[in-house]
Amino acid sequence: MKNPAQLTPWLTGKHVNRQSQSGPSILFISGGSALTSFCHTLTKSTQNSVHLITTFDSGGSTAELRKHFNIPAIGDIRSRLITLANDSLPEIRHLANLLNYRFPHQAKPQNLKIELEHILTGEHILTQKLPLGLLNFIQHTLQSFFERKPANFKLNGASIGNLCLVGCYFSHDKNLDSCIEVFSELLDIKGKILPVLDDDYHLVAELESGSKICGQHLITGKEVNPIASPVKNLFLTQDLLFHTPQQPKTSQKVIDQIMQADLICYPPGSFYTSVIANLLVSGVAEAIHENPCPKVFLPNTTADPEQLGMNLTDMLSQLNQLGKCTKLKILLDEKDSSYPFSTQVDSLNCGSEIIKLDLISPHSQPFYDTKKVVDALLNLIPDIKAK
């Protein structure tokens, strides 16, 4: 596959040199969509944020891709790419709209085939405003995907962006980092996106009731009923029959980025499947522990089905145990009543520090005000705070 710069001459003179992006390196241990609105504010303060993304999603159209291709989940990566994209350029906005588009869930196969053909020929409404070089690239990645697509693959609900990423993934010898870099350039993203693992693993939760749940989408409580018993243990497996626990190792690139971060943040989101899941991969927690920068935890302000029966002490215990963090800074809104759990920390002798600030505004409640949170994080970075 050609270099994206060769395929997209429309970027010449407009494209920001990603190597010269400025601002502190705030690394987010994250996963799903909880940071979507937050990232728009973040890019105004720093273009060097780093997003460590889980690759264990097993629901929706991602399940269809993983079932047929045995690949890591790429849906959350696509979502974060679009969230960090340089939407000041109309061409990138058009590209983002296309990558975000999903085929209708209830459409008939023949109608989906016709719509796909319109995308491949450039007749689709979402492709008509794309520059020719960029359209050719999208067509190339889709063609790469459909050359490998089995006959029984269902397009219903499939994201065009996911299909393009999978096509690019195979065109780059199944190297997810290279694939992400291509789309990072095309979208001129303001930050860096790292998959925590470039391999086909699934999450397994052991519940206090003694039962096991295999599959991220069965744990979150978003596609099925919420878990009825608290999570006792979480691990990774490739063995979907016997659920044998495994601990694969992350890449040196991930370790290096963690070690270079100016601040590491455990943000709001699905506690186990988006945050804790990253810590199950060997090398991640060790690198976090070795980096002397501030480590910050921002608890959810609304109920998370995964945190059944948990209070703040329980959450910190999990982060301290798996993340090897003994000096966490916990950011809480000063009103306290905003949280669906007790914020009292009992019998936790680990040196954690609770910092109460005005983090929820009238227009953002019950969620955090993204500007207030970004300012709070920046103020916790020593070099920034000293200025």
Side-chain angles (χ1 to χ4, degrees):
M1 183 179 291
K2 295 181 181 179
N3 184 293
Q6 296 174 308
L7 289 165
T8 54
W10 54 272
L11 283 176
T12 304
K14 299 179 182 178
H15 190 45
V16 175
N17 181 359
R18 285 172 41 75
Q19 299 302 315
S20 65
Q21 291 180 349
S22 60
S25 174
I26 303 177
L27 186 140
F28 294 92
I29 310 294
S30 59
S33 59
L35 286 184
T36 298
S37 60
F38 185 81
C39 286
H40 292 298
T41 304
L42 180 68
T43 54
K44 297 176 183 177
S45 298
T46 178
Q47 297 178 357
N48 274 332
S49 62
V50 181
H51 301 258
L52 187 60
I53 306 291
T54 58
T55 51
F56 314 125
D57 187 5
S58 58
S61 62
T62 294
E64 185 78 359
L65 288 168
R66 299 194 71 185
K67 177 179 73 174
H68 289 288
F69 295 100
N70 298 316
I71 58 174
I74 43 79
D76 289 338
I77 291 171
R78 170 195 53 79
S79 176
R80 196 63 55 88
L81 280 165
I82 293 170
T83 301
L84 293 170
N86 179 8
D87 59 7
S88 67
L89 297 178
E91 296 91 343
I92 290 180
R93 289 199 300 271
H94 298 320
L95 174 59
N97 288 337
L98 175 63
L99 297 179
N100 249 345
Y101 178 72
R102 288 185 182 276
F103 287 117
H105 286 274
Q106 305 301 325
K108 295 180 180 180
Q110 58 266 35
N111 292 337
L112 294 176
K113 182 179 179 182
I114 293 172
E115 186 170 13
L116 172 63
E117 289 174 351
H118 286 167
I119 293 175
L120 289 173
T121 59
E123 298 174 87
H124 196 282
I125 189 171
L126 291 176
T127 61
Q128 289 176 0
K129 293 184 179 181
L130 289 179
L132 181 59
L134 187 50
L135 175 61
N136 289 340
F137 174 80
I138 294 300
Q139 291 168 331
H140 180 86
T141 59
L142 284 175
Q143 191 62 43
S144 175
F145 169 79
F146 283 99
E147 286 173 359
R148 297 167 173 84
K149 178 184 76 67
N152 61 342
F153 184 89
K154 297 177 182 177
L155 283 174
N156 301 76
S159 159
I160 290 296
N162 287 358
L163 304 186
C164 288
L165 280 167
V166 172
C168 186
Y169 177 71
F170 282 107
S171 296
H172 283 78
D173 299 319
K174 297 184 179 182
N175 186 307
L176 192 52
D177 277 329
S178 297
C179 176
I180 291 171
E181 186 56 36
V182 168
F183 279 88
S184 295
E185 292 286 347
L186 291 175
L187 290 163
D188 189 23
I189 73 166
K190 305 306 180 184
K192 298 175 185 175
I193 294 174
L194 299 173
V196 70
L197 198 63
D198 188 356
D199 210 340
D200 183 26
Y201 281 83
H202 287 271
L203 284 171
V204 178
E206 293 180 330
L207 306 184
E208 289 186 2
S209 64
S211 61
K212 287 183 181 179
I213 300 175
C214 183
Q216 173 266 357
H217 72 292
L218 299 177
I219 304 170
T220 63
K222 295 176 181 178
E223 295 187 28
V224 298
N225 291 332
I227 54 176
S229 176
V231 174
K232 179 182 178 181
N233 185 34
L234 192 74
F235 62 86
L236 294 171
T237 189
Q238 284 186 311
D239 187 344
L240 298 180
L241 182 60
F242 297 104
H243 305 158
T244 305
Q246 294 164 295
Q247 193 175 29
K249 186 172 174 127
T250 194
S251 67
Q252 187 60 47
K253 181 178 181 180
V254 167
I255 292 173
D256 291 343
Q257 286 294 322
I258 294 173
M259 290 296 297
Q260 294 166 17
D262 297 313
L263 182 143
I264 295 171
C265 180
Y266 299 101
S270 297
F271 184 71
Y272 281 106
T273 60
S274 289
V275 179
I276 294 296
N278 283 294
L279 304 178
L280 302 177
V281 181
S282 178
V284 172
E286 292 81 2
I288 292 172
H289 178 73
E290 289 297 320
N291 187 334
C293 76
K295 287 97 177 180
V296 180
F297 175 44
L298 271 166
N300 288 307
T301 57
T302 57
D304 173 14
E306 296 181 10
Q307 293 177 309
L308 178 66
M310 298 182 75
N311 56 30
L312 184 56
T313 297
D314 300 324
M315 299 170 203
L316 295 178
S317 178
Q318 285 287 297
L319 290 172
N320 288 323
Q321 177 186 347
L322 292 172
K324 304 182 186 299
C325 290
T326 56
K327 293 183 179 180
L328 269 174
K329 298 180 184 295
I330 303 99
L331 286 187
L332 294 176
D333 183 70
E334 60 190 10
K335 294 178 281 299
D336 244 10
S337 59
S338 306
Y339 298 92
F341 50 81
S342 170
T343 57
Q344 298 299 312
V345 178
D346 302 318
S347 305
L348 193 71
N349 300 314
C350 62
S352 295
E353 176 187 4
I354 291 182
I355 303 173
K356 294 189 177 183
L357 300 169
D358 177 18
L359 299 176
I360 299 176
S361 60
H363 74 271
S364 72
Q365 62 181 355
F367 305 106
Y368 291 115
D369 183 300
T370 56
K371 178 65 166 61
K372 291 177 183 290
V373 169
V374 169
D375 289 344
L377 293 178
L378 291 173
N379 284 332
L380 289 172
I381 300 175
D383 290 344
I384 301 294
K385 189 175 181 180
K387 292 181 180 179

